[in-house]
Amino acid sequence: MITYRDRLRDVLLEGVPVKWNKKCIKYVETQEGIWVFFEDGTQEFCNILVCADGLILQVIRKQKLPELQIVNYGITHVGADISIPKHLMDKANKIHGNVLARKTLGTKGDSTFMMTRLIPIKQEQNDEKNEPHYRATLVYSYPSELDNVESEKVKVDDNDPSSVIEHVKRLIRTLRPDCTLTNLLLELWDLAPKTIPNDPIKFPFKTYNPIQRRMMRDIDPMSIKSWSSSRVVLLGDAAHSMSPILGLGANNAIQDADKLSQALLKYSDDNISFIEEYEKEMLKRTSADVLKSRNVTFMTSTPLGPFGVIIRDNILKVINVMINFYSFADNLIFKN
Ligand SMILES: Cc1cc2nc3c(=O)[nH]c(=O)nc-3n(C[C@H](O)[C@H](O)[C@H](O)COP(=O)(O)OP(=O)(O)OC[C@H]3O[C@@H](n4cnc5c(N)ncnc54)[C@H](O)[C@@H]3O)c2cc1C
């Protein structure tokens, strides 16, 4: 199933009384429950603390399981949400076909990814001046060591989106051959917003993530010997952040929430064994996906020589033929 992030967010927030702009700084566990402390000086008491604070700060995870390590892949990625005018979308479709996800692999471990939404953005009626636009997410990944090449001394300001976008374009120009696809990639990155956008056609997304270089990292929850169960429960990226390459992170976070809600039905004050049951299932399921995503990321990010490129391209061609064959057979069976 494919969904827009902002729609998913609205659905998940329905009926949930969220208190925004409160940052948790620590917790203290007692026999009866947990005291949670916030940056604004307030505190709350609860029986069970569900920690879903993602990968970036990891305040609670670091307190609960300090030995759990974040693995840095040595790969940098830059992402941007953009709105593509129809004439550029047509160009992209001519190269890749009219597909949802488009990935291109370079020879130096660099790759590009574009996820498009095929329904045009809603425009004002009778707005004939504006050609239809489509939402898309661009991601550019490359080995982080390319930023440390002594001779080229890369200077990028991650607080300035134009500097990051120029850096991405410079890498694309350097690492890719001069061809129509490369020109298209450069044109697409030109559409990335350089300041916080406010035009609903040019930027129809509800949230704006600053365009920055980010390290690709993950957490394998089964990389530690024992996972101590307590009234503090981890969920989502806080427990098992993974490479975005297979799109499994939010899927697992939602499954965690579902499994934990089911488990919470068994809650009683003196018995928290249901948490252990939830964690057992969560650890097994998500660790497998963390490792699968890590392997695919390394496979597609390894620099290749000319021989390696021939092998890789032929394997991809065979996979492509197989996918088309299965899809053809599927259609045939489905129609009959
Ligand atoms: C480029 C990219 C593409 C992706 N594509 C996909 C995809 O196609 N499909 C998919 O399934 N997954 C995808 N993912 C992964 C997905 O985004 C994450 O797995 C998912 O957002 C994890 O959800 P979460 O709620 O655990 O953490 P987050 O979404 O990180 O949310 C954590 C929240 O906690 C808040 N927080 C942090 N610290 C504190 C604190 N101390 N106090 C209070 N609040 C705090 C943060 O502000 C944030 O709002 C992608 C990720 C990336 C980077």
Side-chain angles (χ1 to χ4, degrees):
M1 188 179 83
I2 290 158
T3 176
Y4 293 133
R5 254 165 205 264
D6 50 357
R7 301 253 169 90
L8 178 64
R9 192 169 179 270
D10 288 346
V11 170
L12 293 176
L13 281 172
E14 252 169 44
V16 183
V18 176
K19 287 188 187 167
W20 299 104
N21 299 320
K22 279 182 88 75
K23 184 176 167 192
C24 168
I25 48 168
K26 68 168 184 177
Y27 69 86
V28 173
E29 215 170 338
T30 67
Q31 282 275 299
E32 297 76 34
I34 302 142
W35 279 105
V36 186
F37 297 85
F38 296 93
E39 201 175 46
D40 60 8
T42 57
Q43 58 194 67
E44 298 277 351
F45 185 77
C46 57
N47 300 105
I48 305 285
L49 173 61
V50 178
C51 156
D53 59 356
L55 173 72
I56 311 293
L57 298 177
Q58 295 251 308
V59 173
I60 297 172
R61 200 277 300 159
K62 278 183 193 153
Q63 194 180 336
K64 180 181 160 71
L65 290 165
E67 67 278 26
L68 192 60
Q69 294 296 311
I70 297 179
V71 174
N72 192 341
Y73 290 8
I75 297 168
T76 301
H77 69 120
V78 181
D81 287 327
I82 59 166
S83 159
I84 308 183
K86 187 172 179 305
H87 74 274
L88 262 189
M89 193 69 173
D90 289 343
K91 247 192 210 178
N93 288 348
K94 225 172 169 180
I95 297 176
H96 296 277
N98 192 357
V99 287
L100 214 65
R102 302 144 204 250
K103 192 165 178 78
T104 73
L105 301 175
T107 55
K108 301 279 186 282
D110 56 312
S111 66
T112 70
F113 179 72
M114 178 163 93
M115 180 75 129
T116 41
R117 285 64 155 189
L118 305 177
I119 307 163
I121 296 157
K122 259 198 196 145
Q123 286 173 246
E124 294 296 320
Q125 268 179 354
N126 306 326
D127 184 358
E128 282 158 13
K129 273 183 284 157
N130 262 325
E131 63 174 315
H133 282 62
Y134 298 82
R135 293 167 206 237
T137 300
L138 300 179
V139 182
Y140 182 68
S141 313
Y142 60 94
S144 309
E145 63 187 25
L146 291 180
D147 282 349
N148 304 328
V149 179
E150 271 305 308
S151 56
E152 290 174 20
K153 274 286 170 226
V154 178
K155 290 245 178 307
V156 184
D157 179 359
D158 283 301
N159 295 316
D160 173 10
S162 350
S163 157
V164 180
I165 294 165
E166 274 317 306
H167 180 53
V168 168
K169 287 172 59 189
R170 193 165 46 238
L171 284 167
I172 293 175
R173 271 191 227 103
T174 317
L175 301 178
R176 295 299 174 99
D178 188 8
C179 64
T180 319
L181 175 59
T182 303
N183 290 338
L184 173 71
L185 292 171
L186 294 171
E187 275 186 273
L188 291 172
W189 274 98
D190 266 335
L191 298 174
K194 290 161 191 81
T195 50
I196 297 176
N198 53 14
D199 177 336
I201 293 289
K202 296 224 172 86
F203 197 80
F205 306 88
K206 271 198 187 148
T207 46
Y208 168 70
N209 293 316
I211 298 171
Q212 287 175 339
R213 290 174 302 170
R214 296 170 202 271
M215 297 293 119
M216 219 179 257
R217 301 179 296 171
D218 73 24
I219 299 177
D220 173 11
M222 287 184 83
S223 60
I224 49 172
K225 280 202 189 95
S226 69
W227 184 281
S228 52
S229 288
S230 68
R231 288 173 181 274
V232 180
V233 198
L234 300 188
L235 175 160
D237 275 18
H240 49 68
S241 174
M242 56 190 83
S243 155
I245 198 157
L246 298 176
L248 295 174
N251 280 275
N252 269 297
I254 291 170
Q255 281 188 66
D256 291 354
D258 179 42
K259 304 273 180 198
L260 184 57
S261 320
Q262 301 291 335
L264 276 167
L265 296 174
K266 298 181 198 156
Y267 173 70
S268 71
D269 259 353
D270 51 348
N271 182 3
I272 54 163
S273 60
F274 69 91
I275 291 181
E276 213 175 318
E277 276 170 42
Y278 154 76
E279 285 172 342
K280 221 167 142 187
E281 190 280 334
M282 180 271 284
L283 294 179
K284 213 168 142 200
R285 165 172 47 85
T286 61
S287 173
D289 283 348
V290 168
L291 297 180
K292 198 159 64 178
S293 304
R294 189 190 290 175
N295 286 341
V296 176
T297 306
F298 282 136
M299 271 194 301
T300 55
S301 308
T302 308
L304 297 171
F307 190 57
V309 171
I310 294 170
I311 295 177
R312 181 190 72 188
D313 289 358
N314 280 305
I315 291 175
L316 289 175
K317 274 182 197 154
V318 172
I319 292 174
N320 206 21
V321 169
M322 280 164 65
I323 291 173
N324 285 334
F325 174 75
Y326 281 120
S327 144
F328 174 74
D330 202 42
N331 273 338
L332 213 66
I333 295 162
F334 185 67
K335 271 189 191 146
N336 296 329

